[in-house]
Amino acid sequence: MEPLFGVLLGLILVVASSAQNNCTCATNKWTECVQGGSGNCTCMLVGSNHKVDCSTLTSKCLLMKAEMISPKEKRFRGHPHGLLDNEDIYSPDCENSGIFKARQCNQADTCWCVNTAGVRRTEKGDKSLSCGELVRTSWIYIELKHKKRCSAFNAPDVANSLKHLFERRYKLHPKFITAVKYDSPFIQIYLQQNEKSRCDVDIADVAYYFDKDVKDDSVFDSNSTLTASVNGDVMAIEKIRIYYTDEKPAEFCMRQLVAGISAVVTVVILAAGFGIAVLPILRWLWTRTYKKSETKEMGEIRAPSLQ
């Protein structure tokens, strides 16, 4: 009886261990998951008590915060992680819903305003900076370059493959992909999302996941790797650039434009002033030269009559 009991206990432990191992978050590796007594798998974001919905993408804000509080074994892989005075690498403040707070600050009490993609859209200031509403990023332009190959892919096939990839892997509805243009080896992807329902993923989150995938730093579970292919032929992406456009113009761009215009106006005024100041001098020199020439000519004309 005892050997049989031991076998049964071993089987139970194996099943329990297997269930525990299956308790992972497929869409977010920055989570800690626990198997409940009822068999449900609950995943919490690393460094917080925020529950993660593993059936969809996690917001970019929460991902960035988790990356800044990543486990020690993750921090020393490749280059070190840390807080830098850079708007693209910082530990963000997030709302309870997971979106960015309109104002972000670093440890040096330097603050700036961001859009829904977490990208800086104003000049930096101190803690007195007021940002108001969180401006939505409604349009995203992604520029890709794939490795050189003997022959280019077929443009319609590239567009169809990428649309299918974004729908399958990132849960993005095709209606938000407004265009895919291909001119080997360059690819342009246009995402537009003026409004989104609760069921839709945000294009800013999609762009962040895709950027991480291309740079071989995927947010997905380690068993899920990006495979971009066209009709079964692998398309190896080697470069990616992402541009964001908001519903409202970025404020620091306007300030720079005003500063540039002011500089041009200043140069024009200085040039005009210099011209006005130099003109009388040139006129005086020209008049003096003319009088000397005229006097000399008159002298040459009068000289014969004196003989």
Side-chain angles (χ1 to χ4, degrees):
M1 180 64 69
E2 290 183 1
L4 181 60
F5 177 76
V7 171
L8 290 175
L9 180 60
L11 289 174
I12 293 174
L13 291 175
V14 168
V15 172
S17 176
S18 177
Q20 186 70 22
N21 291 335
N22 290 331
C23 185
T24 58
C25 188
T27 59
N28 189 345
K29 66 180 180 182
W30 306 107
T31 54
E32 295 176 345
C33 302
V34 177
Q35 189 82 38
S38 59
N40 295 328
C41 182
T42 303
C43 296
M44 310 295 289
L45 197 69
V46 170
S48 73
N49 58 353
H50 195 285
K51 187 177 178 180
V52 176
D53 180 4
C54 296
S55 65
T56 187
L57 305 186
T58 305
S59 71
K60 180 180 177 180
C61 187
L62 293 175
L63 288 176
M64 289 177 62
K65 180 172 285 292
E67 289 172 0
M68 293 295 104
I69 318 174
S70 57
K72 292 182 179 180
E73 60 269 19
K74 302 284 187 182
R75 291 180 182 174
F76 296 100
R77 183 187 305 171
H79 59 82
H81 292 268
L83 294 177
L84 301 176
D85 187 18
N86 185 311
E87 59 270 19
D88 293 328
I89 305 175
Y90 63 95
S91 182
D93 290 326
C94 310
E95 301 285 0
N96 292 332
S97 61
I99 65 173
F100 287 92
K101 289 186 177 181
R103 191 186 74 168
Q104 299 291 326
C105 301
N106 60 17
Q107 291 181 333
D109 292 338
T110 299
C111 302
W112 59 91
C113 302
V114 300
N115 53 24
T116 52
V119 178
R120 181 166 67 93
R121 51 174 281 109
T122 66
E123 299 291 350
K124 293 181 179 180
D126 55 25
K127 283 199 168 183
S128 64
L129 178 68
S130 177
C131 295
E133 64 175 334
L134 180 68
V135 178
R136 178 167 180 75
T137 297
S138 57
W139 185 86
I140 293 179
Y141 163 64
I142 303 175
E143 186 178 83
L144 305 173
K145 180 183 178 183
H146 66 68
K147 292 183 179 179
K148 291 183 178 180
R149 44 183 286 117
C150 297
S151 60
F153 293 106
N154 181 266
D157 291 340
V158 170
N160 291 333
S161 296
L162 287 174
K163 287 180 180 180
H164 178 68
L165 173 68
F166 274 68
E167 183 179 9
R168 173 180 53 83
R169 186 171 178 85
Y170 307 108
K171 318 299 181 185
L172 182 66
H173 196 285
K175 67 181 179 181
F176 298 125
I177 306 176
T178 56
V180 178
K181 299 180 180 180
Y182 177 58
D183 184 13
S184 182
F186 300 101
I187 305 170
Q188 299 170 348
I189 305 173
Y190 297 85
L191 306 180
Q192 186 172 4
Q193 189 179 55
N194 297 324
E195 296 180 357
K196 62 176 287 294
S197 66
R198 294 183 61 183
C199 300
D200 294 323
V201 294
D202 197 298
I203 57 173
D205 300 336
V206 172
Y208 190 69
Y209 267 78
F210 185 54
D211 183 56
K212 288 285 190 178
D213 274 340
V214 172
K215 294 178 179 178
D216 198 24
D217 186 22
S218 181
V219 179
F220 289 101
D221 184 81
S222 57
N223 295 325
S224 177
T225 57
L226 174 66
T227 303
S229 62
V230 180
N231 292 333
D233 196 357
V234 176
M235 181 173 62
I237 302 172
E238 60 179 1
K239 289 184 180 180
I240 180 172
R241 286 185 180 180
I242 302 178
Y243 302 89
Y244 304 88
T245 300
D246 299 339
E247 292 178 341
K248 297 181 180 180
E251 295 178 21
F252 68 86
C253 290
M254 295 302 294
R255 293 179 184 177
Q256 290 177 352
L257 179 60
V258 171
I261 294 175
S262 300
V264 172
V265 171
T266 301
V267 171
V268 171
I269 292 175
L270 289 175
F274 180 76
I276 293 172
V278 170
L279 185 60
I281 299 174
L282 293 175
R283 188 174 182 181
W284 176 77
L285 290 173
W286 181 81
T287 303
R288 184 180 177 185
T289 303
Y290 175 76
K291 287 182 176 180
K292 285 184 177 180
S293 176
E294 186 180 35
T295 302
K296 184 177 179 180
E297 290 178 357
M298 290 298 294
E300 291 176 352
I301 293 173
R302 292 176 182 176
S305 62
L306 293 175
Q307 293 178 351

